[in-house]
Amino acid sequence: MRKLNILEMNRLSVEQFREAEKMPLVVVLDDVRSLYNVGSVFRTCDAFCVEAVYLCGITATPPHNEIHKTALGAEDSVSWCYFATAEEAVKSLKQQGCTVYAVEQVEGSTKLPFAPSSLDPRPSAIVLGNEVKGVHQHVVDLCDDCLEIPQFGTKHSLNVSVTAGIAIWEFFRQFIPLT
């Protein structure tokens, strides 16, 4: 096997990415404090053509060197907007007809991977929370459902950017079947 060079990967330009069809998913960051995590989420959203990232509360916004360090320019390709609170973002998404899922450990959560029939056919959003406190309870209360990544070790949480990658992949796998 030979590794592909950058030209063989047929990467989109920023302009081509903006015009490309997007997966109908918005990623909401609820008070994510690490700029490196924010950048990593942008990069994952770029990789899977996510519609947009909503940055809320204390979550930093581009331009910022620490975001750029892990986003590698994805903060320029992926659409984003800022909300003072995740509550405002969730209310806005629901008014737009989105099904909103918190990614959080709650009673009765839907465990990943979920069956295709469990996905609402409307556009979706996932809310990811603060590195210590998770998604605020009042935001969880506004969501249509909660998704949980089953874990089997001694720890009860994953880094928010890792969680984003797993959840985004699950939506990608459901919405755009691999051939």
Side-chain angles (χ1 to χ4, degrees):
M1 288 184 270
R2 179 185 62 81
K3 288 175 57 174
L4 298 176
N5 67 44
I6 194 75
L7 296 175
E8 293 172 308
M9 292 183 199
N10 297 317
R11 299 291 184 204
L12 300 176
S13 68
V14 171
E15 295 76 24
Q16 290 170 320
F17 181 89
R18 288 184 183 146
E19 297 298 319
E21 182 180 358
K22 304 293 186 297
M23 178 171 52
L25 178 68
V26 173
V27 175
V28 179
L29 300 183
D30 179 13
D31 283 342
V32 172
R33 63 183 177 172
S34 166
L35 281 69
Y36 299 117
N37 283 335
V38 174
S40 182
V41 170
F42 267 104
R43 195 161 153 194
T44 301
C45 288
D46 177 278
F48 295 105
C49 289
V50 168
E51 188 72 37
V53 176
Y54 286 9
L55 307 169
C56 306
I58 66 167
T59 307
T61 61
H64 210 290
N65 287 339
E66 284 83 2
I67 292 174
H68 182 73
K69 184 173 183 175
T70 51
L72 297 177
E75 73 277 27
D76 298 325
S77 58
V78 177
S79 295
W80 63 271
C81 61
Y82 176 79
F83 288 85
T85 67
E87 182 178 0
E88 291 176 28
V90 169
K91 287 179 179 178
S92 173
L93 287 161
K94 291 185 88 152
Q95 287 175 347
Q96 296 171 47
C98 283
T99 302
V100 182
Y101 302 90
V103 182
E104 191 58 84
Q105 297 166 333
V106 302
E107 296 172 340
S109 61
T110 300
K111 306 291 192 271
L112 295 183
F114 46 79
S117 61
S118 66
L119 269 182
D120 191 306
R122 298 178 294 171
S124 300
I126 55 172
V127 182
L128 301 160
N130 176 275
E131 292 88 342
V132 175
K133 297 180 181 179
V135 179
H136 289 100
Q137 182 63 54
H138 64 276
V139 176
V140 169
D141 294 341
L142 292 173
C143 292
D144 297 298
D145 197 0
C146 289
L147 305 176
E148 183 176 341
I149 299 167
Q151 298 168 54
F152 305 99
T154 61
K155 303 301 172 198
H156 65 288
S157 67
L158 296 167
N159 177 279
V160 66
S161 66
V162 172
T163 299
I166 293 168
I168 292 167
W169 169 253
E170 181 64 18
F171 277 86
F172 183 81
R173 190 178 71 77
Q174 299 287 333
F175 285 115
I176 304 170
L178 304 176
T179 56

